[in-house]
Amino acid sequence: MASNERATMAEIAEQSGVSLSTVSLVLRDKAGVGAETRQRVLDVARELGYVPRRPAAAHAPAISTVGLVLKADPDSLPAANKFYSHVVAGIEMACRRHQVNLLYATMTVDEDSRPVELPRLLVDDGAADGLLLLGAFFDEALMRVVERRATPLVLVDSYAAVDRYDSVLSDNFEGAYQAVAHLVERGHRHIALVGGHPQAYPSIQERQAGYQRALKDHGIADRYLAECHIVDTAEIVEATARLLQGSPQVTALFGVNDDVAITAMDAARDLGRRLPDDLSVVGYDDIDVADCLTPSLTTMQVDKLGMGRLAVQLLINRIEHPEANLVRTAIRPRLVERNSVRNLHNRDEEND
């Protein structure tokens, strides 16, 4: 006999010829399973001596299964996402700590992270006690589908057309503001933003707004925008090259995320720009590769693991206290200084 509930549930699923989620529904006495299948699962569970785990304490969460819906760009694997893989790891850690099962589904999105198809986890009733939506825009059509189920939901680096869901986000405005302020403090006055467009994902629009405010607050009138979709490498290269060729006075770039910043660095090198001697670059997110580049990338670090852990906490709170006020948690990023920014004040001293 298996030594723990998770292994026993897997054994029940195997011997019953059903999925683990079906076993979970039956053992939690949830709807959505036919009578014949339900009885078969219960018979197998009885034969194996399955004993449901009882809460260890009165404060144990009233939740056994969390459903995680992760955005998937059409041309990439979700597991390969350099940012969200860490958020998922944080979610997994929190679920293990609370002894909660975790179901996964991916949802294909367009280049602005808007859904183009719905996974069954969002549609099927009773598959999970609560849902986490990671990295996608929750439009009105998707809201209508999910609200038919009345399943608690938390947005994780996600945004909704209507403000009615708990959420965990990066403080994108403040993070972008700090990034640009850092460049200004290093003597840069001609600072460009790379990435985004007027209909971009809300987090990118917030970073654009932070860029604009930082320049305004420091008395800098010039704006340089390389607009592009952030998932299109060729478009990023073209926009960066067009900006640098048309505005050779630019001495610094702020990439709206690290992938954009790294692609812009490559585009600048192709034009003969030396980094950071001729051009300084700051990114956003602090993905793993940021420290392995030449030069290593100065960037705004987001606590990705913490984002995942907080999301699970918010979901448990919403399930246990459904009438509680909405909670929006903004994680403040911090500047990680590396080698991609040149201090122009030192250059002026050298010229003197």
Side-chain angles (χ1 to χ4, degrees):
M1 185 184 300
S3 60
N4 60 67
E5 181 183 354
R6 184 181 297 276
T8 303
M9 288 179 64
E11 197 171 50
I12 294 171
E14 180 178 357
Q15 295 197 25
S16 303
V18 299
S19 68
L20 186 60
S21 61
T22 298
V23 173
S24 176
L25 289 174
V26 172
L27 297 180
R28 291 184 293 124
D29 198 24
K30 297 287 187 178
V33 181
E36 182 178 342
T37 301
R38 181 182 297 275
Q39 189 59 51
R40 183 168 75 251
V41 171
L42 290 172
D43 289 343
V44 171
R46 190 177 303 109
E47 291 170 6
L48 292 175
Y50 173 83
V51 178
R53 181 188 288 119
R54 290 177 173 81
H59 64 272
I63 178 173
S64 64
T65 303
V66 167
L68 171 60
V69 179
L70 171 62
K71 81 161 185 178
D73 298 320
D75 299 323
S76 65
L77 297 173
N81 188 293
K82 306 177 188 71
F83 182 90
Y84 291 121
S85 59
H86 291 278
V87 180
V88 171
I91 292 170
E92 291 175 336
M93 291 168 59
C95 286
R96 283 197 301 271
R97 184 164 63 85
H98 290 287
Q99 299 180 336
V100 171
N101 298 318
L102 182 61
L103 300 179
Y104 290 88
T106 58
M107 180 170 63
T108 304
V109 298
D110 63 16
E111 56 195 0
D112 294 318
S113 295
R114 295 176 182 270
V116 296
E117 63 181 17
L118 301 183
R120 290 189 60 181
L121 185 57
L122 282 177
V123 178
D124 291 349
D125 189 27
D129 300 307
L131 296 171
L132 301 173
L133 180 65
L134 180 53
F137 187 79
F138 202 46
D139 60 22
E140 292 183 1
L142 182 55
M143 287 170 60
R144 286 194 294 271
V145 171
V146 173
E147 288 178 354
R148 293 193 197 108
R149 298 177 46 186
T151 302
L153 179 139
V154 171
L155 305 177
V156 192
D157 194 42
S158 296
Y159 296 79
V162 178
D163 187 19
R164 66 176 66 156
Y165 302 99
D166 298 326
S167 61
V168 184
L169 306 165
S170 167
D171 191 344
N172 296 293
F173 180 92
E174 180 61 27
Y177 189 102
Q178 288 184 31
V180 176
H182 174 68
L183 290 169
V184 174
E185 290 165 2
R186 295 301 181 272
H188 295 275
R189 306 288 294 179
H190 298 283
I191 302 168
L193 179 139
V194 181
H197 55 89
Q199 287 75 46
Y201 193 60
S203 63
I204 303 304
Q205 294 186 37
E206 290 169 357
R207 293 173 198 178
Q208 292 173 321
Y211 161 84
Q212 297 278 4
R213 176 62 65 83
L215 293 180
K216 179 180 179 181
D217 287 353
H218 288 88
I220 299 175
D222 294 323
R223 306 287 189 273
Y224 306 93
L225 303 177
E227 293 187 346
C228 53
H229 290 94
I230 63 173
V231 297
D232 190 323
T233 300
E235 196 174 326
I236 297 167
V237 169
E238 180 181 351
T240 303
R242 184 167 58 248
L243 181 139
L244 293 177
Q245 290 171 330
S247 303
Q249 69 274 27
V250 168
T251 62
L253 302 179
F254 168 51
V256 294
N257 66 26
D258 286 348
D259 281 330
V260 169
I262 293 167
T263 302
M265 291 168 71
D266 291 337
R269 285 194 191 93
D270 290 343
L271 294 176
R273 296 289 188 100
R274 297 170 301 162
L275 306 174
D277 292 346
D278 300 328
L279 187 70
S280 295
V281 181
V282 175
Y284 197 110
D285 287 340
D286 194 28
I287 59 176
D288 293 340
V289 72
D291 194 29
C292 305
L293 306 170
T294 303
S296 55
L297 181 63
T298 292
T299 185
M300 300 304 300
Q301 183 186 78
V302 177
D303 183 0
K304 298 172 279 292
L305 287 172
M307 182 176 282
R309 291 193 301 264
L310 282 170
V312 175
Q313 293 287 352
L314 282 183
L315 185 58
I316 291 173
N317 181 70
R318 178 55 54 193
I319 291 171
E320 294 183 340
H321 307 283
E323 301 304 320
N325 292 343
L326 288 181
V327 178
R328 184 183 187 194
T329 303
I331 297 179
R332 180 69 60 87
R334 69 177 183 89
L335 179 71
V336 177
E337 293 188 55
R338 296 194 177 104
N339 300 313
S340 62
V341 175
R342 182 180 181 183
N343 191 333
L344 296 187
H345 296 305
N346 293 343
R347 182 187 65 179
D348 294 339
E349 292 173 3
E350 292 169 3
N351 292 337
D352 291 343

